[in-house]
Amino acid sequence: MDRGNTKQEILEASLELFSVQGFEATSVSQIAGAVGIRKASLYSHFENKQAILDALVKEVLEQYEAHSIFAKADQEKDAGDLPMTPDAAVQMIQGQIRYILHDPSISRARKMLVIEQFQNPELAKLQTKQNYSDVLQYFTGLIARLIQQGVLAEDDPEIMAAQFCLPISVWINLCDREPDREPEVMALVSRHIQQFFKVYQPKEQTVFFQELD
Amino acid sequence: MDRGNTKQEILEASLELFSVQGFEATSVSQIAGAVGIRKASLYSHFENKQAILDALVKEVLEQYEAHSIFAKADQEKDAGDLPMTPDAAVQMIQGQIRYILHDPSISRARKMLVIEQFQNPELAKLQTKQNYSDVLQYFTGLIARLIQQGVLAEDDPEIMAAQFCLPISVWINLCDREPDREPEVMALVSRHIQQFFKVYQPKEQTVFFQELD
DNA sequence: GTCTATATCCAGATAGAC
DNA sequence: GTCTATCTGGATATAGAC
C-alpha cells in the first residue's frame, strides 16, 4: 500500500514527535513505531538519529524560504494591495494566523523551534529569524508604506511593527499550547488590529477643512 | 563545606539542567554529577526523578505566589504610586525586566515552562498563568486606573494591556534565547513605552490653542 | 528495504556495606 | 547520606538473513 515515501514518512513522524517531546526525549523506536516499521529499518534511510533532525531542519528551512511571505524581499511586490482598511487587515491577519496554526508542518516546526531554542544554537537562530526578525522586518516595511500613503499616522515604523506583531506572536504561542483558546484569540486579534488602526490614525488636515464648512 | 542542603542543591542543579535540556532529556546521573554525588545517593533525597520535578514545580509556584507582583490581587495596593510619567514607566519596567532576566531561579523556571509547555499539561497551565494571564490582568487593572486618572486616553484597557505587555514578553524570550541582545531589547522597550504613552495620550483641547499661535 | 538478532551502552532504580 | 555493586530495561546502532 505504500513505500518509496518511507523516508518522507519518517521525517513527518519525527517532526510530530520532536514538536512535543523534543529531539533528545524522542527515541528511534518511537519514530519507527509511528511509521510502522522496526527501528533497524530506519537506518536504511538515515545514517543515525541526528541525521533525521538535520534533514528536518533543512526541509523546514526550504519550505520557509519557498512559501513564507516573510522570507522574501518581496516587500515591494504587494504594494499594489495597499492602502488597507482595518477590516481588511483583520481578515488578512486572521486568515494567516488560522493557516499557520493548522498547517501541520508549519505548526510542528514552530513548536519544535520553541522547544529546542535553549539547547540547539542552530534552531535558536532559526527561531529568531523565522518568528521574530523576518516578521518584524516585513511589517516594518509594510507599515512604513502605509504611513507614506497616509493610511497610518507618522511615527516610528519599527516600534509600530513590534506593537502590531508581537502580541499576535504571543497569541499564536498560546494557541499552540491551548488550542481551545483559538476563538478567544481571534477575537482579541480583531480588537487589537482595530485599535491599532484607530490610535495610529493620521490627524488629517482635511479634517480641518471639513470642519470649516 | 556543605551538606544538610544537599536536597536544595539537587533542586537547583535540576532546574538548571531542565531549563536547557528539558526533563526527559536530563539524566539522574547528570544531576548527581552537578551536585557532586553519585546518582544512587540522590535517591536518599527523592523517591525518583519525577519527584524532583514535582518538588521543583511546587517550589516555583510558591516562590511566584510569595514574591511576584503579578500573583496577588494587590492591584489596589500600589495605586498610590500613580500617576505615572512615561520616563518613570520606562525605568520601572526596565528594572523589572533586568531582574527577572538575571535572577537565576526565575529565569530558569521561565525557560523550563517554555520547554515543557507542549509536553506537560501542568506546566502548560503554569506557563499561561504566570507569563500571560496574571501579567495581563495586572496591567489591565493598572491601565484602567491610569485612564481614570486622566494619564491615558479612554480606550479598551484589556487590549491596551496586551499591546503594552506582549511585545515585552517576546523580548524577554528573545533575551532568554540570545542574552547578548539585552541592550538592544532595552532600547526597544524604552521606545515602545514612550510611544505607547504618546499614542494613548489623552486628547487635550490645549493642543488646539498651541497650534494656533 | 525490512526483518530478527545482537552488541554496547546508559538510563532509572534498588541493595546493602560503611 | 554516600558509597559500590547490581538489576532491568530501553537507548542507539550494526550484522546479516530474506
Side-chain angles (χ1 to χ4, degrees), chain A residues 98-117:
Chain A
R98 262 186 262 270
Y99 171 62
I100 65 168
L101 277 182
H102 298 303
D103 181 282
S105 44
I106 294 176
S107 156
R108 287 166 187 161
R110 187 175 56 247
K111 291 187 193 176
M112 183 176 72
L113 294 185
V114 168
I115 290 183
E116 300 292 338
Q117 64 182 325

Side-chain angles (χ1 to χ4, degrees), chain A residues 85-154:
Chain A
T85 67
D87 285 333
V90 169
Q91 291 308 313
M92 190 267 251
I93 300 288
Q94 283 187 340
Q96 275 290 315
I97 294 173
R98 262 186 262 270
Y99 171 62
I100 65 168
L101 277 182
H102 298 303
D103 181 282
S105 44
I106 294 176
S107 156
R108 287 166 187 161
R110 187 175 56 247
K111 291 187 193 176
M112 183 176 72
L113 294 185
V114 168
I115 290 183
E116 300 292 338
Q117 64 182 325
F118 305 130
Q119 168 78 335
N120 184 320
E122 185 186 3
L123 297 189
K125 277 186 65 179
L126 207 53
Q127 162 73 342
T128 296
K129 176 175 162 53
Q130 291 191 4
N131 295 317
Y132 180 78
S133 311
D134 280 3
V135 181
L136 277 187
Q137 197 184 331
Y138 177 86
F139 277 98
T140 300
L142 184 74
I143 286 172
R145 291 202 305 285
L146 288 173
I147 292 173
Q148 273 187 328
Q149 303 189 5
V151 178
L152 293 174
E154 285 215 28

Side-chain angles (χ1 to χ4, degrees), chain A residues 10-21 26 34 56 108:
Chain A
I10 291 170
L11 287 175
E12 284 166 21
S14 299
L15 181 57
E16 184 168 3
L17 290 163
F18 293 167
S19 70
V20 174
Q21 306 176 339
T26 300
L56 219 39
R108 287 166 187 161

